[in-house]
Amino acid sequence: MTGGPALAAPAPGHGPDGATARRRFVTVSFLFWFPIGMSIATGVLLFTERGMGLAAIAGFYAVHSLTAAAMELPTGGLSDVIGRRPVLAIAGLLNLAAFTLIGLGAAGWAIALGMGLMGLARALSSGPAEAWYVDTVHAHAGPDADLRTGLARGSSATSAALALGTLLGGGLPWLLGLAPGLGEWLTDTTGGLVIPLSVPALLGALVEIVFVLYVLSALTEPPRPRTGVRGVVGGVPAAIAAGLRLGARDALIRRILLTASAAGAALAAVELLTPGRAATLMGTAESGALVFAGLACAGFLCSALGSQLAPLVARFAGSSERAVLVSLGLVTLGLTLLGLTAHAMSALATTVAVTGYGLVYLGLGAAGPNENDLLHRRVDASGRATALSVQSLSLQLVAAGAGLGAGALPPGPLPWLLAATAVLAGALLWLRRAAPAKPLPGPVPRTEADGSATMSAHP
């Protein structure tokens, strides 16, 4: 350690035990991502029904990604200064506003504002829940406690929430269409503000209320030093600087950040291009939303399975590093299969594409817990949320650029194969083992807010 802890952590054995912390982490992960899942199946198709072209839709997703990227480090530092719980609660409130705007907005500016607020919420949420879990387990059982199992279950809960949410979100517009005249009545009654494809986003707004209430009641934290505006302003930049410094000095952290960038390219291609392929296959937006919902649900279940298998993959591969290499190889294979079948509509080509889609999510699910297990062994509590934000920043920045590029390129294999190349490059980084971490060069000056905003590297 190169400085004092960011908070007065309780002695080992105090606070929630490991099992309780794991259950609360899993619940928070599920509640946060469930409403996002409900909006996934209908997002692109909803914007299309509102009269937006593919380039404009790619722009909306770029607003989300760029907002998240711009705010990742400041909000990660904020969590390390004022606490995990208040930052997560604010994220839930921002998502509440975002889903309302997306569900009701018919103008481009309203959709863009909603996507921007969702990006800000994503930035706020990218580290605090996981940092709370790791802090709590370390406080109860010490720094050598097992983390991989809890991280894997949290990742599985995220994937399960996305799967169930996507299935529900894609099925609702289809169910509304089964009742004669119900969709038209809904549209006419609300003056066009609410259409069947916007119902999942509005339901997601209601779930965010439950999320905020659970966070405020369940994520107990040790008391932090009282922090005024001056303390926050002074503490956040110090936390940001510590996160950037660790990323610059530690080769393993750099690998993790570059791997997150590769994952961003993969996810951008999958999330932007797959809904259109489903709609083209089925012939209508509502039927396409239902098919994509089922496909996305299967993908997220593959991700959940991959997360559950992450510890096993690490044992068979010999290390977490080798497990990341194997997992990214599966992602590369999946994207390649999607690219090779981009222009084909036969039953065989569709089966191959669905297999590729599943491999993408299976590989990403297996890679995540192993990457984060390595990450948490390099950082301490004073900068854990910041480190996670740096990781998310890498993903969001590349996702924004890759999404814009995929939207501008002609439909076909090229966008998929470019994403596969990016992931392959990320996988090749893990061919060699990383050197042990180097200690930071000295203590970071203490701030009024957190006593210290440093990170330390664990061997």
Side-chain angles (χ1 to χ4, degrees), residues 175-239:
L175 289 173
L176 290 173
L178 291 180
L182 181 58
E184 292 81 358
W185 174 85
L186 185 64
T187 303
D188 294 340
T189 301
T190 60
L193 285 177
V194 179
I195 61 177
L197 287 170
S198 65
V199 171
L202 297 177
L203 288 179
L206 297 178
V207 177
E208 290 296 340
I209 298 175
V210 178
F211 169 78
V212 171
L213 294 176
Y214 185 82
V215 164
L216 293 176
S217 62
L219 298 195
T220 55
E221 293 186 279
R224 293 173 181 265
R226 297 189 60 149
T227 305
V229 175
R230 179 183 174 188
V232 172
V233 172
V236 170

Side-chain angles (χ1 to χ4, degrees), residues 8-438:
H14 291 74
D17 59 26
T20 301
R22 186 163 54 243
R23 284 195 300 271
R24 294 180 183 179
F25 174 50
V26 165
T27 302
V28 165
S29 299
F30 184 92
L31 286 176
F32 181 82
W33 289 101
F34 181 65
I36 294 175
M38 284 198 288
S39 69
I40 285 177
T42 56
V44 173
L45 301 175
L46 170 62
F47 301 153
T48 302
E49 286 292 298
R50 297 293 197 190
M52 309 298 167
L54 186 59
I57 295 171
F60 295 147
Y61 282 96
V63 168
H64 172 277
S65 295
L66 292 175
T67 302
M71 298 305 297
E72 279 291 358
L73 291 181
T75 54
L78 183 66
S79 171
D80 286 329
V81 172
I82 70 172
R84 323 304 190 193
R85 180 168 57 177
V87 172
L88 277 174
I90 294 170
L93 293 175
L94 288 172
N95 265 342
L96 170 61
F99 286 126
T100 303
L101 282 169
I102 291 170
L104 299 179
W109 68 265
I111 297 173
L113 177 59
M115 295 296 283
L117 290 176
M118 191 180 295
L120 179 55
R122 171 69 179 272
L124 283 164
S125 68
S126 63
E130 187 170 317
W132 176 87
Y133 168 70
V134 176
D135 291 346
T136 303
V137 171
H138 281 175
H140 181 79
D144 295 326
D146 172 66
L147 297 175
R148 191 185 287 128
T149 299
L151 295 175
R153 291 187 183 180
S155 183
S156 294
T158 295
S159 298
L162 289 168
L164 293 175
T166 302
L167 192 61
L168 177 61
L172 280 173
W174 179 76
L175 289 173
L176 290 173
L178 291 180
L182 181 58
E184 292 81 358
W185 174 85
L186 185 64
T187 303
D188 294 340
T189 301
T190 60
L193 285 177
V194 179
I195 61 177
L197 287 170
S198 65
V199 171
L202 297 177
L203 288 179
L206 297 178
V207 177
E208 290 296 340
I209 298 175
V210 178
F211 169 78
V212 171
L213 294 176
Y214 185 82
V215 164
L216 293 176
S217 62
L219 298 195
T220 55
E221 293 186 279
R224 293 173 181 265
R226 297 189 60 149
T227 305
V229 175
R230 179 183 174 188
V232 172
V233 172
V236 170
I240 293 172
L244 293 175
R245 187 164 56 249
L246 181 64
R249 290 180 54 83
D250 192 306
L252 180 59
I253 298 297
R254 285 198 298 274
R255 288 189 188 184
I256 292 172
L257 299 183
L258 290 171
T259 301
S261 299
L267 290 171
V270 169
E271 293 174 0
L272 181 67
L273 301 176
T274 308
R277 287 179 70 164
T280 300
L281 181 66
M282 298 304 297
T284 66
E286 288 77 12
S287 297
L290 180 63
V291 169
F292 177 63
L295 181 61
C297 177
F300 292 133
L301 290 176
C302 287
S303 181
L305 176 62
S307 296
Q308 286 294 102
L309 293 175
L312 183 63
V313 174
R315 286 197 292 272
F316 274 108
S319 68
S320 291
E321 295 180 12
R322 290 290 181 181
V324 175
L325 171 63
V326 172
S327 301
L328 293 182
L330 288 178
V331 178
T332 302
L333 176 60
L335 289 169
T336 302
L337 293 177
L338 283 164
L340 294 177
T341 57
H343 283 315
M345 303 288 286
S346 67
L348 177 60
T350 300
T351 301
V352 172
V354 169
T355 301
Y357 189 93
L359 288 176
V360 169
Y361 281 94
L362 182 68
L364 290 175
N370 285 300
E371 291 174 37
N372 284 17
D373 175 65
L374 293 167
L375 177 66
H376 289 304
R377 297 185 186 282
R378 297 291 223 210
V379 299
D380 62 17
S382 66
R384 183 161 287 121
T386 301
L388 291 167
S389 288
V390 175
Q391 181 186 23
S392 184
L393 169 64
S394 301
L395 186 149
Q396 294 293 337
L397 280 175
V398 174
L404 289 172
L409 290 171
L414 185 58
W416 298 103
L417 297 180
L418 288 176
T421 301
V423 176
L424 177 61
L428 295 177
L429 295 172
W430 297 91
L431 285 174
R432 296 178 58 188
R433 295 183 62 88
K438 298 178 181 179

